[in-house]
Amino acid sequence: RDNIIEDTLNILKEGPKSSTYRKPLKVIFEGEAGVDEGGVRKEFFQLIIRNMFEPSYGMFEMDQNSHLIWFNKDSMKPTSQFFLAGLILGLAVYNGVIVNVHLPLVAYKKLLGQPSTLLDLKELQSEQSFNLV
């Protein structure tokens, strides 16, 4: 639990096949006895997502006006950790775990291959976009 992001990244880097991601995730916290019947998995996703998306961790930042989460432009984290963030969000959705991450509409447009506009910037950074629109 102390190094949940780094430990998870190392496990995922070991190369499970993409078909492995289509199975229900089984979580075991090192040094803890317990059978994962969904509760441990839910706790895992809550912990890693809270840690990863915490502004003090440095990967993401929250817009103070909209309370939406976006990439920290000054982040020094390796791109592999941003890949992990996407993978974790996808695994959470696939495993039926509701996550509390507020992304702007432009993030979903990107996932769907839809074009973004300056109006999308307004949702994310209303102060900066005020002079552009």
mmCIF file of all heavy atoms in Angstrom, residues 9-27:
data_model
loop_
_atom_site.group_PDB
_atom_site.id
_atom_site.type_symbol
_atom_site.label_atom_id
_atom_site.label_comp_id
_atom_site.label_asym_id
_atom_site.label_seq_id
_atom_site.Cartn_x
_atom_site.Cartn_y
_atom_site.Cartn_z
ATOM 1 N N LEU A 9 2.845 -0.355 -11.311
ATOM 2 C CA LEU A 9 3.538 -0.101 -12.577
ATOM 3 C C LEU A 9 4.529 -1.215 -12.874
ATOM 4 O O LEU A 9 4.583 -1.717 -14.000
ATOM 5 C CB LEU A 9 4.248 1.248 -12.531
ATOM 6 C CG LEU A 9 4.979 1.682 -13.793
ATOM 7 C CD1 LEU A 9 4.019 1.786 -14.968
ATOM 8 C CD2 LEU A 9 5.688 3.002 -13.580
ATOM 9 N N ASN A 10 5.292 -1.648 -11.872
ATOM 10 C CA ASN A 10 6.262 -2.732 -12.073
ATOM 11 C C ASN A 10 5.586 -4.044 -12.450
ATOM 12 O O ASN A 10 6.066 -4.763 -13.326
ATOM 13 C CB ASN A 10 7.125 -2.913 -10.823
ATOM 14 C CG ASN A 10 8.100 -1.773 -10.638
ATOM 15 O OD1 ASN A 10 8.488 -1.118 -11.591
ATOM 16 N ND2 ASN A 10 8.467 -1.516 -9.399
ATOM 17 N N ILE A 11 4.466 -4.347 -11.820
ATOM 18 C CA ILE A 11 3.744 -5.586 -12.141
ATOM 19 C C ILE A 11 3.215 -5.524 -13.572
ATOM 20 O O ILE A 11 3.331 -6.488 -14.335
ATOM 21 C CB ILE A 11 2.615 -5.838 -11.129
ATOM 22 C CG1 ILE A 11 3.214 -6.237 -9.784
ATOM 23 C CG2 ILE A 11 1.648 -6.895 -11.636
ATOM 24 C CD1 ILE A 11 2.225 -6.254 -8.641
ATOM 25 N N LEU A 12 2.641 -4.376 -13.939
ATOM 26 C CA LEU A 12 2.079 -4.252 -15.288
ATOM 27 C C LEU A 12 3.167 -4.213 -16.353
ATOM 28 O O LEU A 12 2.952 -4.648 -17.484
ATOM 29 C CB LEU A 12 1.185 -3.019 -15.379
ATOM 30 C CG LEU A 12 -0.091 -3.083 -14.545
ATOM 31 C CD1 LEU A 12 -0.837 -1.764 -14.603
ATOM 32 C CD2 LEU A 12 -0.987 -4.223 -15.009
ATOM 33 N N LYS A 13 4.369 -3.714 -15.994
ATOM 34 C CA LYS A 13 5.485 -3.681 -16.952
ATOM 35 C C LYS A 13 6.028 -5.076 -17.238
ATOM 36 O O LYS A 13 6.653 -5.279 -18.266
ATOM 37 C CB LYS A 13 6.624 -2.811 -16.415
ATOM 38 C CG LYS A 13 6.495 -1.364 -16.777
ATOM 39 C CD LYS A 13 7.833 -0.670 -16.722
ATOM 40 C CE LYS A 13 8.050 -0.012 -15.403
ATOM 41 N NZ LYS A 13 9.257 0.802 -15.328
ATOM 42 N N GLU A 14 5.788 -6.015 -16.326
ATOM 43 C CA GLU A 14 6.280 -7.374 -16.528
ATOM 44 C C GLU A 14 5.631 -8.031 -17.725
ATOM 45 O O GLU A 14 6.055 -9.095 -18.144
ATOM 46 C CB GLU A 14 6.076 -8.203 -15.255
ATOM 47 C CG GLU A 14 6.999 -7.786 -14.130
ATOM 48 C CD GLU A 14 6.729 -8.558 -12.845
ATOM 49 O OE1 GLU A 14 5.907 -9.501 -12.851
ATOM 50 O OE2 GLU A 14 7.343 -8.213 -11.828
ATOM 51 N N GLY A 15 4.604 -7.410 -18.252
ATOM 52 C CA GLY A 15 4.084 -7.822 -19.533
ATOM 53 C C GLY A 15 2.948 -8.806 -19.567
ATOM 54 O O GLY A 15 2.988 -9.738 -20.351
ATOM 55 N N PRO A 16 1.897 -8.602 -18.756
ATOM 56 C CA PRO A 16 0.754 -9.483 -18.973
ATOM 57 C C PRO A 16 0.205 -9.227 -20.372
ATOM 58 O O PRO A 16 0.256 -8.108 -20.870
ATOM 59 C CB PRO A 16 -0.242 -9.072 -17.891
ATOM 60 C CG PRO A 16 0.187 -7.732 -17.434
ATOM 61 C CD PRO A 16 1.658 -7.626 -17.724
ATOM 62 N N LYS A 17 -0.261 -10.269 -20.989
ATOM 63 C CA LYS A 17 -0.828 -10.127 -22.329
ATOM 64 C C LYS A 17 -2.106 -9.304 -22.248
ATOM 65 O O LYS A 17 -2.787 -9.283 -21.233
ATOM 66 C CB LYS A 17 -1.130 -11.508 -22.908
ATOM 67 C CG LYS A 17 0.119 -12.338 -23.088
ATOM 68 C CD LYS A 17 -0.208 -13.704 -23.604
ATOM 69 C CE LYS A 17 1.082 -14.506 -23.699
ATOM 70 N NZ LYS A 17 0.859 -15.888 -23.977
ATOM 71 N N SER A 18 -2.419 -8.622 -23.335
ATOM 72 C CA SER A 18 -3.599 -7.757 -23.325
ATOM 73 C C SER A 18 -4.868 -8.549 -23.037
ATOM 74 O O SER A 18 -5.814 -8.015 -22.474
ATOM 75 C CB SER A 18 -3.730 -7.000 -24.643
ATOM 76 O OG SER A 18 -3.878 -7.901 -25.717
ATOM 77 N N SER A 19 -4.894 -9.829 -23.379
ATOM 78 C CA SER A 19 -6.079 -10.641 -23.086
ATOM 79 C C SER A 19 -6.259 -10.841 -21.585
ATOM 80 O O SER A 19 -7.364 -11.079 -21.112
ATOM 81 C CB SER A 19 -5.987 -11.992 -23.787
ATOM 82 O OG SER A 19 -4.855 -12.713 -23.313
ATOM 83 N N THR A 20 -5.172 -10.704 -20.814
ATOM 84 C CA THR A 20 -5.252 -10.835 -19.368
ATOM 85 C C THR A 20 -6.106 -9.715 -18.776
ATOM 86 O O THR A 20 -6.783 -9.909 -17.770
ATOM 87 C CB THR A 20 -3.838 -10.793 -18.743
ATOM 88 O OG1 THR A 20 -3.051 -11.803 -19.349
ATOM 89 C CG2 THR A 20 -3.877 -11.004 -17.251
ATOM 90 N N TYR A 21 -6.092 -8.559 -19.406
ATOM 91 C CA TYR A 21 -6.863 -7.423 -18.908
ATOM 92 C C TYR A 21 -8.361 -7.641 -19.063
ATOM 93 O O TYR A 21 -9.151 -6.917 -18.480
ATOM 94 C CB TYR A 21 -6.451 -6.137 -19.613
ATOM 95 C CG TYR A 21 -4.999 -5.761 -19.413
ATOM 96 C CD1 TYR A 21 -4.201 -5.396 -20.492
ATOM 97 C CD2 TYR A 21 -4.427 -5.773 -18.151
ATOM 98 C CE1 TYR A 21 -2.880 -5.047 -20.310
ATOM 99 C CE2 TYR A 21 -3.106 -5.434 -17.954
ATOM 100 C CZ TYR A 21 -2.331 -5.072 -19.038
ATOM 101 O OH TYR A 21 -1.021 -4.734 -18.860
ATOM 102 N N ARG A 22 -8.760 -8.614 -19.849
ATOM 103 C CA ARG A 22 -10.182 -8.877 -20.067
ATOM 104 C C ARG A 22 -10.756 -9.839 -19.030
ATOM 105 O O ARG A 22 -11.912 -10.221 -19.122
ATOM 106 C CB ARG A 22 -10.400 -9.431 -21.468
ATOM 107 C CG ARG A 22 -10.061 -8.411 -22.536
ATOM 108 C CD ARG A 22 -10.460 -8.890 -23.912
ATOM 109 N NE ARG A 22 -9.852 -8.043 -24.905
ATOM 110 C CZ ARG A 22 -8.893 -8.430 -25.735
ATOM 111 N NH1 ARG A 22 -8.449 -9.678 -25.709
ATOM 112 N NH2 ARG A 22 -8.393 -7.603 -26.606
ATOM 113 N N LYS A 23 -9.958 -10.202 -18.061
ATOM 114 C CA LYS A 23 -10.421 -11.072 -16.978
ATOM 115 C C LYS A 23 -10.640 -10.219 -15.738
ATOM 116 O O LYS A 23 -10.018 -9.171 -15.581
ATOM 117 C CB LYS A 23 -9.365 -12.150 -16.682
ATOM 118 C CG LYS A 23 -9.099 -13.071 -17.847
ATOM 119 C CD LYS A 23 -7.998 -14.046 -17.500
ATOM 120 C CE LYS A 23 -7.660 -14.921 -18.701
ATOM 121 N NZ LYS A 23 -6.524 -15.778 -18.434
ATOM 122 N N PRO A 24 -11.521 -10.668 -14.830
ATOM 123 C CA PRO A 24 -11.683 -9.906 -13.586
ATOM 124 C C PRO A 24 -10.353 -9.816 -12.843
ATOM 125 O O PRO A 24 -9.613 -10.788 -12.735
ATOM 126 C CB PRO A 24 -12.696 -10.738 -12.788
ATOM 127 C CG PRO A 24 -13.419 -11.538 -13.825
ATOM 128 C CD PRO A 24 -12.423 -11.802 -14.923
ATOM 129 N N LEU A 25 -10.055 -8.632 -12.370
ATOM 130 C CA LEU A 25 -8.804 -8.391 -11.675
ATOM 131 C C LEU A 25 -8.849 -9.001 -10.279
ATOM 132 O O LEU A 25 -9.823 -8.831 -9.559
ATOM 133 C CB LEU A 25 -8.560 -6.884 -11.575
ATOM 134 C CG LEU A 25 -7.224 -6.438 -11.009
ATOM 135 C CD1 LEU A 25 -6.098 -6.799 -11.969
ATOM 136 C CD2 LEU A 25 -7.236 -4.948 -10.758
ATOM 137 N N LYS A 26 -7.795 -9.702 -9.900
ATOM 138 C CA LYS A 26 -7.654 -10.246 -8.546
ATOM 139 C C LYS A 26 -6.548 -9.469 -7.867
ATOM 140 O O LYS A 26 -5.447 -9.351 -8.389
ATOM 141 C CB LYS A 26 -7.289 -11.736 -8.572
ATOM 142 C CG LYS A 26 -8.353 -12.620 -9.169
ATOM 143 C CD LYS A 26 -9.503 -12.772 -8.207
ATOM 144 C CE LYS A 26 -10.531 -13.727 -8.793
ATOM 145 N NZ LYS A 26 -11.757 -13.734 -8.054
ATOM 146 N N VAL A 27 -6.838 -8.934 -6.691
ATOM 147 C CA VAL A 27 -5.887 -8.086 -5.970
ATOM 148 C C VAL A 27 -5.511 -8.749 -4.656
ATOM 149 O O VAL A 27 -6.370 -9.241 -3.930
ATOM 150 C CB VAL A 27 -6.488 -6.696 -5.694
ATOM 151 C CG1 VAL A 27 -5.542 -5.845 -4.861
ATOM 152 C CG2 VAL A 27 -6.832 -5.994 -6.999
#
